Amino acid sequence: MTAKKKTKSVKKAERWQDVDVHELAKLEINQRLTDEEKVRLYTDMVRIRRFEGRSLRSYQEGKIGGFLHLYEGQEACAVGTISLLGADDHVITAYRDHGHALAVGMSMNECMAEMYGKHTGCSKGKGGSMHFFAPDKNYWGGHGIVGGQIPLGTGIAFALKRQGKKGCCLAYMGDGAINQGAVHEAYNLAGLWDLPVIFIIENNAYSMGTSQARSSAYPECLAQRAEAYGMDWDTVNGNILYDVRAKTYEAIKRAHEESRPTVLEVFTYRYRGHSVADANHEKYRSKDEILDYKENKDPITLTRKQFIEEGVLTEESAKDIDKAAMEEATASAEFADKSPFPPATSILEDTYWSMDNKGQDPQIDELNQGRFIFEDGGVYDK
Ligand SMILES: Cc1ncc(C[n+]2csc(CCOP(=O)(O)OP(=O)(O)O)c2C)c(N)n1
């Protein structure tokens, strides 16, 4: 790389740090938002924050089992990016998936019930926190294998292209996922085949307890790796809703109009530990660092400040939004609590196997007849 090119990349990599919210507000993509839409975006961010808070409480009460990865601090990323999507655009993400789910329009009830393992959950109580899905909203999960959703998202983009649709796929991942081999294979095909996919790295600075600096070889930023695959890239201030929208808009235009992929690196921060089981998160990062983000860079506080300045919100209306979000989250926990668990007969539903194998495998024949013999000899008989 020539010295000149490197200087350009450094500048681009650091661009997110000194974005000016007032300048961003003047951009056409942000200007076109009505007051009502701005209130909606703010409300969506607050709803995510309150939903996550309520989920944590339910987990501590023993109502939710398994893993629980919370999205508090990252709300502007899901809400800002998803606010730009149209009918043929799709979303796929990792296990920190509650924010994206609510942003695409899934209800708190179906999400909370899913975590409670209830039949009324979006995945009928069989998926849990990491596996929220809503195909009717072009929302393809919720994936637990780090980086595993990236080839899938690239495949969605491939399908859109084959079908001749003017759509794209937003494929989100963490800063740790970027080092997975499958991510690079997907990058290669996206660049090679001109796929309308937008890879969104939600860089919250840590992968479990490992900081990004300790896990990733990179010259200026993670998004810059896109250059190796001939893809465009940019960096985004994940605390500024208007910046998220501005950069995502450019990437969506590129996908829709030129069928070209983009890598966006959104600089953000998670307030909680990696999952609720990560009790040591104040050991690998300082209390002061967490406090600095909460007090000076919080995406909800910054958006509220901007919208109050614009006359879109008042302190009072913001409080009402917060109260309503809290009530909605509480009601979703009550709904989940009262909902039934999946019936035993649903054990064989929604599985992947083919019913065409008749006569080839006695065990499959038994299963097709509704019988299942467990390893311990127990028999399930429909
Ligand atoms: C293939 C694979 N390897 C390891 C894990 C264990 N694991 C779960 S989350 C995680 C960290 C990923 O961090 P990052 O991609 O930065 O996402 P974040 O949690 O910060 O959102 C790891 C290593 C896994 N689930 N899958």
Side-chain angles (χ1 to χ4, degrees), residues 67 69-71 74 94-96 130 143-149 173-180 201-210 212 215 270 273-275:
F67 288 107
H69 308 88
L70 300 171
Y71 198 64
Q74 303 186 208
Y95 44 80
R96 202 177 295 284
M130 298 197 277
H143 296 265
I145 302 300
V146 170
Q149 73 281 10
M173 69 189 112
D175 45 285
I178 182 74
N179 296 319
Q180 289 291 92
I201 307 164
E202 296 198 55
N203 187 347
N204 60 17
Y206 299 93
S207 311
M208 301 186 92
T210 308
Q212 185 215 313
S215 62
R270 70 164 150 77
H274 167 73
S275 73

Side-chain angles (χ1 to χ4, degrees), residues 107-286:
S107 72
M108 282 197 195
N109 280 359
E110 64 183 314
C111 292
M112 191 64 85
E114 186 54 42
M115 291 193 280
Y116 276 57
K118 297 298 182 75
H119 200 46
T120 49
C122 57
S123 300
K124 300 183 195 167
K126 296 175 181 179
S129 159
M130 298 197 277
H131 303 292
F132 289 1
F133 281 83
D136 60 319
K137 297 183 173 63
N138 293 350
Y139 183 58
W140 300 105
H143 296 265
I145 302 300
V146 170
Q149 73 281 10
I150 299 303
L152 297 175
T154 308
I156 291 170
F158 180 68
L160 287 167
K161 187 166 178 158
R162 288 284 297 251
Q163 291 163 3
K165 289 186 176 156
K166 197 176 170 178
C168 69
C169 182
L170 305 190
Y172 299 80
M173 69 189 112
D175 45 285
I178 182 74
N179 296 319
Q180 289 291 92
V183 170
H184 291 267
E185 293 176 40
Y187 271 18
N188 179 52
L189 292 181
L192 182 69
W193 291 342
D194 292 329
L195 299 181
V197 56
I198 302 167
F199 300 109
I200 299 178
I201 307 164
E202 296 198 55
N203 187 347
N204 60 17
Y206 299 93
S207 311
M208 301 186 92
T210 308
S211 73
Q212 185 215 313
R214 286 175 56 219
S215 62
S216 294
Y218 61 99
E220 311 309 338
C221 68
L222 299 175
Q224 196 192 349
R225 292 179 182 184
E227 286 175 15
Y229 302 97
M231 294 188 284
D232 284 285
W233 61 276
D234 212 336
T235 53
V236 184
N237 187 327
N239 302 318
I240 311 275
L241 187 70
Y242 281 163
D243 197 37
V244 176
R245 277 177 56 86
K247 307 276 176 55
T248 309
Y249 176 62
E250 293 303 322
I252 292 178
K253 246 191 346 192
R254 190 173 296 124
H256 284 181
E257 289 165 19
E258 301 166 41
S259 190
R260 286 293 303 157
T262 303
V263 177
L264 292 178
E265 182 173 359
V266 180
F267 288 87
T268 180
Y269 199 76
R270 70 164 150 77
Y271 293 159
R272 306 277 181 190
H274 167 73
S275 73
V276 295
D278 177 14
N280 286 331
H281 74 106
E282 286 181 359
K283 294 212 167 119
Y284 58 79
R285 54 185 191 171
S286 70

Side-chain angles (χ1 to χ4, degrees), residues 339-356:
S339 292
F341 284 107
T345 47
S346 72
I347 196 167
L348 297 178
E349 290 165 11
D350 310 310
T351 55
Y352 271 114
W353 80 42
S354 159
M355 303 300 266
D356 304 333

